[in-house]
Amino acid sequence: MALLTRLYQNTVNNEKTKGKFYRRAVHIATLSLEDLGKHIVDHGSPYTEDIVQGVLKAFRNCLIEQLMESKKVKIDGLGTFYLSVSSTAAESADEATMDQIKNVRLRFLPDSSSRAMLDSVSLRKKVALKDIASLGMTYTGGESDGGSTGGGGTSSGGNDNEPVVENPGD
């Protein structure tokens, strides 16, 4: 299988990029934890699906718990998960309070052993790319399929209102 892409025309009012065409990634599914567990079992895991599901759920719960205890979680060969905060400025240390914290974000930093495999240049060389139109598929939906807009900024999907990719042969 390949990473599917589609043609996108920028409609943002920006003199340099308005009307230009770009490629965007098309995601045909969002795997749930259960889906990922089934996929692992299908790869010949010696463990039953319920055991794999249990381990994945425990992993998720423990990951969140450890992050919320101000710890980073490193998965060897993949990377490190951690939380960060953004806040507004205060004029003095005495005026600085927890109320200034605007956001808490989940972050991911690829492991140095996998960074060469996961950086954008390496991924571009390794991933097979296909245009959905060349496969007889069509894309219907919003602009929330992810990928660069070319003019800056990105968007991502991952909810029940995902765009639909249809294969007329199905």
Side-chain angles (χ1 to χ4, degrees), residues 135-152:
L135 300 173
M137 301 168 83
T138 58
Y139 172 88
T140 57
E143 297 304 326
S144 63
D145 57 316
S148 175
T149 61

Side-chain angles (χ1 to χ4, degrees), residues 38-58:
K38 289 175 185 173
H39 182 77
I40 291 169
V41 170
D42 290 345
H43 271 273
S45 170
Y47 303 104
T48 61
E49 189 174 323
D50 60 331
I51 290 174
V52 172
Q53 297 291 339
V55 170
L56 288 173
K57 288 176 183 174

Side-chain angles (χ1 to χ4, degrees), residues 24-46:
R24 283 200 167 169
V26 175
H27 303 101
I28 58 172
T30 298
L31 293 182
S32 67
L33 203 61
E34 290 77 21
D35 296 332
L36 185 58
K38 289 175 185 173
H39 182 77
I40 291 169
V41 170
D42 290 345
H43 271 273
S45 170

Side-chain angles (χ1 to χ4, degrees), residues 35-94:
D35 296 332
L36 185 58
K38 289 175 185 173
H39 182 77
I40 291 169
V41 170
D42 290 345
H43 271 273
S45 170
Y47 303 104
T48 61
E49 189 174 323
D50 60 331
I51 290 174
V52 172
Q53 297 291 339
V55 170
L56 288 173
K57 288 176 183 174
F59 170 78
R60 176 198 58 207
N61 294 341
C62 290
L63 174 69
I64 293 168
E65 174 189 5
Q66 294 301 301
L67 293 171
M68 292 176 67
E69 290 181 3
S70 206
K71 296 175 184 174
K72 292 181 178 182
V73 178
K74 180 178 180 182
I75 310 301
D76 291 334
L78 184 62
T80 303
F81 293 90
Y82 63 98
L83 297 178
S84 69
V85 298
S86 63
S87 64
T88 57
E91 294 297 322
S92 69
D94 291 337

Side-chain angles (χ1 to χ4, degrees), residues 117-138:
M117 182 177 65
L118 296 175
D119 74 7
S120 62
V121 173
S122 297
L123 281 172
R124 175 64 184 96
K125 290 178 182 175
K126 293 176 184 174
V127 71
L129 300 168
K130 294 224 182 224
D131 183 344
I132 62 170
S134 72
L135 300 173
M137 301 168 83
T138 58

